[in-house]
Amino acid sequence: NDLARINVERIAVYRQALARLTNIDIELQDEFGKIIADGEFYSRQLLEKINELNGNAEIQSQKHGKLYNAWRDLKVSFSGNTQQEIIAWSLYNEEIAIMAYEAAIDKSAEIAEIRQIIAKQEQELKNINEQIKKYRDKYIFINYQIQKNAFSTAYNQHQPIC
């Protein structure tokens, strides 16, 4: 149930960030839309399997497990205003989610069906994280090019001293 709750909160914050940032690259916006859809699927898939196995799958209860509490303590709320800030926020929080999945795999060793679902979702989260890193690198390169062009322009405006 903790991983399902984590996914519900992850997608809620992605929605909030997308609503807040109006000037966001369309590719990045599409990627975050995919993350939201995947998170909804992950949560639903986990809850269905837990319900199938023991009939007790809900995320609305006030009782939080150790896994959720650890994730909640480490995650950060989105507070940025730029693409670079949302990418940094996303990378950090996705890495925390991956750690939660790794802990869940260790914890669910006795139930093969759950372990398989968690391992598959964890791999998909790692793939998402790699995609986000590509966006980070793209914007770092773009910013470098902008700074390089600005320096070149400033440099060329100055006359030689000799």
Side-chain angles (χ1 to χ4, degrees):
N1 291 9
D2 281 357
L3 290 179
R5 185 185 313 261
I6 287 169
N7 278 298
V8 167
E9 289 193 24
R10 278 178 59 240
I11 62 177
V13 177
Y14 274 104
R15 281 190 176 118
Q16 173 192 12
L18 283 175
R20 196 166 149 197
L21 292 174
T22 55
N23 191 17
I24 187 170
D25 183 285
I26 193 71
E27 290 177 13
L28 188 57
Q29 189 174 14
D30 289 345
E31 186 66 33
F32 287 169
K34 182 183 177 316
I35 291 170
I36 290 168
D38 289 349
E40 290 170 338
F41 173 74
Y42 299 159
S43 182
R44 191 172 50 253
Q45 185 182 38
L46 287 166
L47 290 173
E48 286 171 1
K49 183 52 75 176
I50 292 167
N51 198 36
E52 177 186 312
L53 293 173
N54 70 11
N56 184 18
E58 64 175 79
I59 57 172
Q60 303 303 324
S61 82
Q62 296 301 312
K63 292 177 78 175
H64 305 301
K66 193 173 170 180
L67 189 62
Y68 172 82
N69 287 331
W71 174 81
R72 185 194 61 213
D73 289 348
L74 292 175
K75 76 176 178 98
V76 294
S77 298
F78 177 68
S79 62
N81 292 314
T82 67
Q83 288 187 145
Q84 288 81 3
E85 290 170 327
I86 193 174
I87 290 169
W89 164 85
S90 181
L91 283 171
Y92 175 80
N93 281 313
E94 289 302 313
E95 288 173 9
I96 299 300
I98 290 167
M99 289 177 201
Y101 268 82
E102 290 169 351
I105 288 173
D106 293 341
K107 187 176 140 185
S108 67
E110 69 279 357
I111 306 171
E113 292 174 79
I114 296 282
R115 184 177 169 81
Q116 277 183 308
I117 291 171
I118 293 171
K120 186 174 187 302
Q121 289 183 4
E122 177 198 17
Q123 185 55 52
E124 291 169 1
L125 285 178
K126 287 179 178 179
N127 293 341
I128 288 168
N129 207 32
E130 288 304 311
Q131 278 300 113
I132 296 169
K133 285 178 183 176
K134 288 178 185 176
Y135 286 106
R136 176 201 60 198
D137 296 345
K138 173 183 169 181
Y139 293 113
I140 287 172
F141 179 75
I142 289 170
N143 285 338
Y144 170 75
Q145 289 299 324
I146 290 169
Q147 291 171 346
K148 184 177 175 184
N149 290 341
F151 178 82
S152 182
T153 300
Y155 177 78
N156 290 330
Q157 288 176 352
H158 295 282
Q159 299 297 320
I161 295 175
C162 301

